[in-house]
Structures are given as structure tokens and as C-alpha cells.
């Protein structure tokens, strides 16, 4: 990680030279260093904060610009242990406390994720809990979450993986809301779960690239020649304004395996001005657009913004050292190798995320779920889901050929993403 002080060496050294001239400059230099240190330690604690959970009073935080004024991070009720990286840990068997809800008691799970209903024979994938190495996660308190959302709007923005996390969140909360005072409605790209008595909404907005693209139709979006329009985030972003908590993701749709097409003008232009970028550069452009949107539209004193890292797929068993040409199909155990990472493109995209966030002062909390999910080759929906269309006899004869190794069964891994979100929201 680039340190702020090394990148600002020239202003410091010019201050140093002047410092010989006057004690005033010495003071200015000192104040400058203190200011920068506070500024950046705050950024890093925002982005990569590592924690323990105590029921202490809310964390105090130095607000940017004001320099000395202390403010509480919105929604926090305690503080985490800064030395504990909650994303580094292991899965432990916890039959007593898992799953956090039953598939059959949450009517909001879309049929693409209801694995038991679609005949999945094993159930163990629902019974693992994430245990960070350095601390324990606070238990997910649905009452606290719902009370916090009273009169508020929480929004998940991104692709179908983020929709899974969204549905998991709704499933974690809906039991507290009586029948008849909750509903879920979809209109185009926007799905809204309403808790009437709480005057709260939890929403999902489909925007697989965050920016405008030719794959934005919420129903018909399977376009092989994907194009994203530069600088177009407001096309979708105008629908996110006013949200109190936003959770973004974007990844899978950028992974075309070829140069990525970026449109400079408008989709209506007859002569389209298109440039081709590497996947990493295209993704970096998307991330930067998101940061600019957040900076412009989200008030850090009242709102929180999260970004969920890449959801790993398990498409090739060779990745975990099994050369049987398989994939996640028929996998009932997780990957034991703690250093397992999977395909390389994830690594380069993670680097882009790390770079973009470390250079940015926009307070976004990073949910680094990639590594912990990459162990879970057992937790995908595989063939146990509603299929988009009828399967051919050839497919049926070879389940590996149509297993979905991208999405996750619910309840399952994505409940853990929300437990981590819960931890970072209330105990930052
Ligand atoms: C964090 O929590 C773990 C276990 O819950 C404990 O052993 C450790 O001492 C705690 N660390 C701090 C700094 O509080
Ligand atoms: C959950 O949160 C509510 C509201 O803050 C609180 O009253 C309750 O004690 C919490 N429950 C647990 C088990 O911590
Ligand atoms: C309901 O919440 C919205 C914000 O989402 C707020 O503008 C409105 O005033 C609230 N209404 C009531 C009756 O509390
Ligand atoms: C759906 O959204 C469109 C545009 O955002 C709006 O015009 C329309 O009234 C909405 N339909 C319903 C049923 O809410
Ligand atoms: C599933 O995996 C088990 C070993 O874990 C193997 O015995 C069995 O034949 C596999 N079933 C199918 C249908 O591939
Ligand atoms: C996310 O976690 C992984 C595994 O712990 C780590 O390699 C990676 O650097 C982290 N990414 C960022 C941007 O912090």
C-alpha cells in the first residue's frame, strides 16, 4: 500500500527548507504531518479496518477538513478491534447456530437460489460459520438492524451476486415483520422490499457495471458483445440518491476474457466512438466512477457506503488440484488449503481495487469476501435451481455441463457476507 507521506514528499521537503527560516514554518510542518497522519489513518481504518468487538461506546472519528472535531461513524454502536482482520479466518462447523434461517421460511429467495427445493441432496453447506483468526464476529442482531433502518433506505446496487446478498439480508430480517406489513415488488431494474411499520425499504438496483451498458435490461441482459459507456454512472445513480446505506458490487460482467469495449459518446450515436481497454483498465474506470458518485452524492456524516469484492466462481476443478474435468457439481466439502485463491484474473482485479481505494479519500467500507468465499466450492447452486429453459438429453446426461458454479444457495455463504456487513456497520 502506498503511504500518503511518501507520495507527498515534495510539499514536505519544501516546507522543511522554509522551516529553517521561521519557527512558524516548523509549527506548520508539524501540524501538516499530524493532519496527514490523522487523515490517512482514518481512511485506512475506513477501508481496511480490522476489528475486535466490544460493547464500548461508539467509535470517535476525526472528520475530514474540520481537523479536530470528533464525530461518530453513522450507525455505529460499538467498536471493533483494529488489529483483527475479520476477513482472515476459517469456516467452523456450527450445527447449533446455523443456518440463520430456513430456505422454506423465506419466501423472497428467487427460485434460482433455492437449492433444497430443487433437490439438492446434502445440507451441510448451510452449517458453517465464519470465524476470523483474531476475534469473533458479533452475532447478527436482526432487531438492531431493523431498528436502525427505521425511516431509512438501504440499497444494494450491482449484479446478480449482489442480488443474492440483498435477498439474504431480507431473509435475515423478515421474520421480525408481521405478515401483511411487508412486501417485495420489482419494477424494471429496481426491487423494493418494504417494511411498512418501520417505514423502511431494502432495495436492489440491477446495474451489473454500475455504469450504463448495453446489458442493463433487468430481464434480457445476456449480451455477449458488452459495451460500457464512460462517465455514465448518473444514468443509474439518480435512482440511488437518498439512500442511507449503499452496498455496491461489480465484477463478473467485466470478465469477458477479451479487450473491453468502452463507448465514449452515447448509445444513440450512429457512429459509435469505441475504445478497447484491458479488463483491468476498464474495471478501474468503473471503480473511479463509483467513487466520484459517492463523493458527490453521499454524506459521510449520515450515510455508509460498502463495496463487496469479487464473488469467486468454481468452474474448473483443476483450480483446486482435481483433474477430473469437474466443477462445483457434486462438491460437498470445502477447499482446505488456506492459501487457495483460484483464477488469476481475480488477483489483478483485487490489485486494481486496492490501488483505487488506497489513493482515494472517499469513505467506503470494503467487504473483502473473495478469499473466504473461495474456499466454498460446496456452496454454489450447481444444478439445484430453476433452470432458464429446458435441458437437453446431453446436458441431463452430464450435469457438470450445466451446473451453476457462480451463484450461491441460500441460506449459505452470502449470509456470512451480511454478518460481515453487520460487523462493519455497527462495530467499525
Ligand atoms: C480480541 O478478541 C479475542 C477473542 O475474542 C481475544 O483473545 C483478544 O485478546 C482480543 N483482542 C483485543 C485487542 O481486545
Ligand atoms: C439486539 O438489538 C436490540 C436493539 O438494539 C437490543 O435491545 C437487544 O438486546 C439485542 N439482542 C442481543 C441478543 O444482543
Ligand atoms: C419515511 O421514511 C422516509 C425516508 O425513507 C422519510 O422521508 C419519511 O418522512 C418517513 N415517513 C414517516 C411517516 O416517518
Ligand atoms: C415502474 O417504473 C417506471 C419508471 O421508473 C414508472 O413510470 C412506472 O410507473 C413504474 N410502475 C409501477 C407499477 O410502479
Ligand atoms: C459424487 O462424488 C462422489 C465422491 O465424493 C462420487 O462417489 C460420486 O460418484 C459422484 N457422483 C456423481 C454423480 O458424479
Ligand atoms: C483481500 O483479502 C485478500 C486475502 O486476505 C488479500 O490478498 C487482498 O489483498 C485483500 N484485498 C484488499 C484490496 O485489501
Amino acid at each position: 500500500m502506498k503511504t500518503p507521506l511518501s507520495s507527498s514528499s515534495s510539499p514536505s521537503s519544501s516546507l522543511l527548507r522554509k522551516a529553517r527560516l521561521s519557527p512558524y514554518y516548523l509549527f506548520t510542518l508539524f501540524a501538516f504531518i499530524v493532519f496527514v497522519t490523522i487523515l490517512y489513518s482514518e481512511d485506512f481504518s475506513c477501508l481496511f479496518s480490522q476489528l475486535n468487538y466490544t460493547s464500548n461506546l461508539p467509535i470517535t472519528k476525526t472528520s475530514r477538513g474540520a481537523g479536530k472535531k470528533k464525530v461518530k461513524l453513522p450507525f455505529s454502536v460499538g467498536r471493533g478491534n483494529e488489529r483483527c482482520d475479520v476477513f482472515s479466518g476459517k469456516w467452523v462447523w456450527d450445527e447449533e447456530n446455523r443456518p440463520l434461517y430456513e430456505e422454506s421460511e423465506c419466501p423472497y429467495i428467487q427460485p434460482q437460489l433455492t437449492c433444497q427445493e430443487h433437490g439438492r441432496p446434502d445440507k451441510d453447506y448451510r452449517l458453517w460459520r465464519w470465524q476470523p483468526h483474531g476475534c469473533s464476529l458479533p452475532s447478527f442482531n436482526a432487531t438492531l438492524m431493523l431498528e436502525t433502518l427505521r425511516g431509512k433506505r438501504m440499497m444494494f446496487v450491482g449484479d446478480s451476486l449482489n442480488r443474492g446478498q440483498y435477498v439474504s439480508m431480507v431473509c435475515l430480517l423478515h421474520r421480525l415483520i408481521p405478515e401483511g406489513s411487508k412486501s417485495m415488488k420489482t419494477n424494471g431494474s429496481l426491487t423494493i422490499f418494504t417494511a411498512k411499520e418501520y417505514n423502511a425499504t431494502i432495495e436492489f438496483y440491477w446495474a451489473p457495471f454500475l455504469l450504463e451498458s448495453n446489458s442493463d435490461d433487468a430481464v434480457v441482459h445476456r449480451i455477449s458483445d458488452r459495451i460500457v459507456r464512460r462517465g455514465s454512472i448518473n444514468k443509474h445513480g439518480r435512482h440511488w440518491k437518498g439512500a442511507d446505506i449503499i452496498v455496491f458490487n461489480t465484477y463478473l460482467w467485466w470478465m469477458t476474457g477479451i479487450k473491453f469495449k468502452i463507448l465514449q459518446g452515447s448509445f444513440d450515436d450512429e457512429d459509435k466512438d469505441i475504445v478497447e481497454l484491458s479488463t483491468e483498465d476498464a474495471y478501474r474506470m468503473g471503480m473511479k466512477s463509483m467513487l466520484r458518485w459517492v463523493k458527490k452524492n453521499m454524506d459521510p456524516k449520515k450515510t455508509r457506503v460498502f463495496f463487496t469484492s469479487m464473488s469467486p466462481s468454481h468452474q474448473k476443478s483443476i483450480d483446486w488440484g482435481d483433474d477430473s474435468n469437474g466443477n462445483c457439481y457434486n462438491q460437498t466439502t470445502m477447499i482446505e488449503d488456506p492459501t487457495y485463491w483460484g483464477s488469476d484474473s481475480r488477483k489483478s482485479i483485487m490489485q486494481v481495487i486496492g490501488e483505487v481505494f488506497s489513493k482515494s479519500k472517499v469513505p467506503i467500507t470494503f467487504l473483502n469476501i473473495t478469499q473466504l468465499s473461495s474456499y466454498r466450492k460446496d456452496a454454489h447452486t450447481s444444478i439445484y435451481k430453476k433452470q432458464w429453459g429446458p435441458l437437453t438429453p446431453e446436458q441431463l446426461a452430464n450435469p457438470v455441463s450445466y451446473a451453476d458454479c457462480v451463484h450461491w444457495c441460500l441460506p449459505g455463504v452470502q449470509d456470512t457476507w451480511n454478518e460481515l456487513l453487520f460487523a462493519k456497520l455497527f462495530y467499525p
Side-chain angles (χ1 to χ4, degrees), residues 123-177:
K123 294 187 167 169
D124 288 1
Y125 67 89
R126 308 165 312 143
L127 302 176
W128 298 94
R129 171 172 63 76
W130 181 248
Q131 176 63 59
H133 289 310
C135 55
S136 286
L137 289 177
S139 342
F140 188 93
N141 182 336
T143 309
L144 175 59
M145 188 77 214
L146 252 186
E147 286 300 335
T148 302
L149 291 179
R150 207 176 264 284
K152 300 230 154 31
R153 188 173 173 214
M154 179 176 196
M155 194 149 204
F156 291 78
V157 176
D159 61 23
S160 58
L161 274 323
N162 213 20
R163 188 199 299 265
Q165 188 177 352
Y166 161 70
V167 171
S168 155
M169 179 61 86
V170 171
C171 291
L172 287 164
L173 300 179
H174 88 100
R175 258 179 305 182
L176 294 180
I177 307 164

Side-chain angles (χ1 to χ4, degrees), residues 60-80:
T60 53
K61 194 167 168 275
T62 315
S63 83
R64 187 181 325 287
K68 280 171 196 143
K69 206 177 121 215
K70 302 250 174 168
V71 291
K72 170 180 166 291
L73 211 51
F75 310 116
S76 67
V77 297
R79 58 186 307 173

Side-chain angles (χ1 to χ4, degrees), residues 365-424:
T365 305
F366 184 49
L367 298 179
N368 191 352
I369 54 83
T370 307
Q371 179 81 52
L372 64 96
S373 308
S374 73
Y375 305 132
R376 297 302 307 276
K377 64 179 166 59
D378 61 316
H380 291 286
T381 53
S382 182
I383 63 169
Y384 308 109
K385 58 181 279 189
K386 185 179 178 196
Q387 303 297 334
W388 291 104
L391 297 163
T392 64
E394 290 75 26
Q395 283 177 313
L396 287 169
N398 179 18
V400 166
S401 69
Y402 69 97
D404 178 344
C405 299
V406 172
H407 299 100
W408 308 94
C409 302
L410 284 184
V413 165
Q414 293 189 299
D415 304 322
T416 291
W417 300 3
N418 279 322
E419 291 179 282
L420 291 159
L421 170 64
F422 177 91
K424 292 285 187 186

Side-chain angles (χ1 to χ4, degrees), residues 91 252 310-320 325-331 333-335 340-343 346 369-382 400 403-408 413:
W91 292 97
L252 208 57
M310 309 84 78
S311 172
S313 312
H314 293 88
Q315 315 268 25
K316 284 184 282 171
S317 60
I318 191 80
D319 288 348
W320 55 90
N325 274 327
N327 57 21
C328 72
Y329 170 67
N330 196 28
Q331 297 295 325
T333 57
M334 70 179 81
I335 294 165
Y340 176 76
W341 178 255
S343 88
R346 270 178 232 156
I369 54 83
T370 307
Q371 179 81 52
L372 64 96
S373 308
S374 73
Y375 305 132
R376 297 302 307 276
K377 64 179 166 59
D378 61 316
H380 291 286
T381 53
S382 182
V400 166
D404 178 344
C405 299
V406 172
H407 299 100
W408 308 94
V413 165

Side-chain angles (χ1 to χ4, degrees), residues 92-126:
V92 297
W93 184 251
D94 189 357
E95 236 173 316
E96 240 167 81
N97 301 304
R98 306 279 122 162
L100 294 173
Y101 53 88
E102 290 294 337
E103 181 187 295
S104 57
E105 76 187 25
C106 184
Y108 306 102
I109 311 176
Q110 61 270 47
Q112 284 77 31
L113 305 181
T114 47
C115 298
Q116 292 298 317
E117 190 187 327
H118 290 89
R120 181 160 178 165
D122 57 310
K123 294 187 167 169
D124 288 1
Y125 67 89
R126 308 165 312 143

Side-chain angles (χ1 to χ4, degrees), residues 227-260:
I227 305 174
V228 168
R229 181 160 78 92
R230 194 188 285 278
S232 62
I233 197 159
N234 288 326
K235 166 91 197 270
H236 300 309
R238 63 200 165 95
H239 299 286
W240 317 332
K241 285 185 184 173
D244 300 281
I245 300 170
I246 297 194
V247 184
F248 288 109
N249 94 325
T250 184
Y251 165 61
L252 208 57
W253 288 70
W254 300 92
M255 300 299 118
T256 56
I258 50 171
K259 287 264 182 188
F260 202 94

